Amino acid sequence: MNAFALECREVSAGYARAERVLTGVTFGVARAGRLVLLGRSGSGKSTLLRLLNRLVEPLAGSISFEGRPLAEHDPLALRRRVALVGQTPIAFEGTVRDNLATRPRGAAQPSDDVIVGSLDDVGLSGDFLERAAESLSVGERQRMCLARALVWDPAVLLLDEPTSALDPKSLAVVAELVLQLVERRSLSVIAATHQPELVRRLDAPVLLLENGSANGSPSTDDVARYLDGR
């Protein structure tokens, strides 16, 4: 069995009529492992996350999931196993139950047990199921979005600035939930963030993106510089 949940080798990416956003990025994330992506706005953090579940295709290099080339995976099926949770917690119209029961094309309807279990995993009780999703606080919405991803039993969570819209108390709750999910569900987590508290709590290796390149062994001073916004 391959040791890595996700692995990139010399991956480059870019968009039409633009210079390459990423060049020669190489790293691996172990099963149930963690990785923090650091870098200034425009450094390619979001692009890299989108590469990992085929929302963007690489210009060069290779990406594999559980030892198999990403290009061999059906994109919709892959996105259930490599789930992306963005910085803005999106609530669909309807109840929390409706949100968690929303299924991608071709997927079976999730059972009530799965829905309730996913909600419980993010620290929300079954009492939330019949609440209007739009009535939730920002922190509760973000946890609902995590639960919505967990319904499909992902192997990897991709978190794009998951706590940037949260107050310090909610940030601490979500960060702790992520750590618990790593243990409880043997999830691999890749988190793009600029928030020192989340970096501290995740206590994970750092991949520093700068000028399109990736540094997998940044110094403590380099990490501090980016977290301080210098």
Side-chain angles (χ1 to χ4, degrees), residues 93-113:
E93 185 177 353
T95 65
V96 170
R97 182 191 296 277
D98 294 333
N99 272 257
L100 269 60
T102 300
R103 64 186 191 274
R105 188 173 68 250
Q109 180 73 37
S111 69
D112 277 353
D113 285 347

Side-chain angles (χ1 to χ4, degrees), residues 191-213:
T193 185
H194 65 279
Q195 294 185 299
E197 179 66 8
L198 184 57
V199 174
R200 184 186 70 79
R201 285 177 175 270
L202 289 178
D203 188 26
V206 171
L207 188 72
L208 180 60
L209 299 177
E210 188 173 23
N211 299 322
S213 297

Side-chain angles (χ1 to χ4, degrees), residues 13-21 47 56-57 59:
Y15 299 95
R17 298 185 299 278
E19 295 181 1
R20 291 192 177 191
V21 177
T47 296
V56 175
E57 298 291 345
L59 299 175

Side-chain angles (χ1 to χ4, degrees), residues 78-92:
L78 176 72
R79 288 166 199 154
R80 296 196 289 272
R81 298 286 290 145
V82 182
L84 177 61
V85 178
Q87 68 181 73
T88 302
I90 297 173
F92 302 139

Side-chain angles (χ1 to χ4, degrees), residues 63-217:
I63 307 173
S64 62
F65 169 54
E66 296 184 338
R68 181 180 164 201
L70 216 61
E72 294 181 4
H73 291 266
D74 172 75
L76 292 180
L78 176 72
R79 288 166 199 154
R80 296 196 289 272
R81 298 286 290 145
V82 182
L84 177 61
V85 178
Q87 68 181 73
T88 302
I90 297 173
F92 302 139
E93 185 177 353
T95 65
V96 170
R97 182 191 296 277
D98 294 333
N99 272 257
L100 269 60
T102 300
R103 64 186 191 274
R105 188 173 68 250
Q109 180 73 37
S111 69
D112 277 353
D113 285 347
V114 168
I115 289 173
V116 172
S118 297
L119 202 62
D120 183 64
D121 271 353
V122 300
L124 297 178
S125 72
D127 295 340
F128 278 82
L129 284 172
E130 304 310 324
R131 287 181 57 178
E134 292 185 351
S135 74
L136 303 181
S137 70
V138 175
E140 289 167 345
R141 284 192 193 191
Q142 190 62 290
R143 284 192 273 172
M144 182 191 72
C145 289
L146 282 170
R148 195 163 58 204
L150 294 176
V151 163
W152 305 107
D153 192 26
V156 181
L157 272 182
L158 308 175
L159 305 177
D160 193 359
E161 302 283 1
T163 57
S164 63
L166 305 182
D167 58 62
K169 182 178 179 180
S170 296
L171 184 158
V173 169
V174 170
E176 187 60 32
L177 283 172
V178 170
L179 292 175
Q180 291 173 8
L181 290 171
V182 170
E183 298 298 325
R184 187 180 303 133
R185 292 198 176 216
S186 296
L187 279 169
S188 301
V189 172
I190 302 176
T193 185
H194 65 279
Q195 294 185 299
E197 179 66 8
L198 184 57
V199 174
R200 184 186 70 79
R201 285 177 175 270
L202 289 178
D203 188 26
V206 171
L207 188 72
L208 180 60
L209 299 177
E210 188 173 23
N211 299 322
S213 297
N215 178 0
S217 302

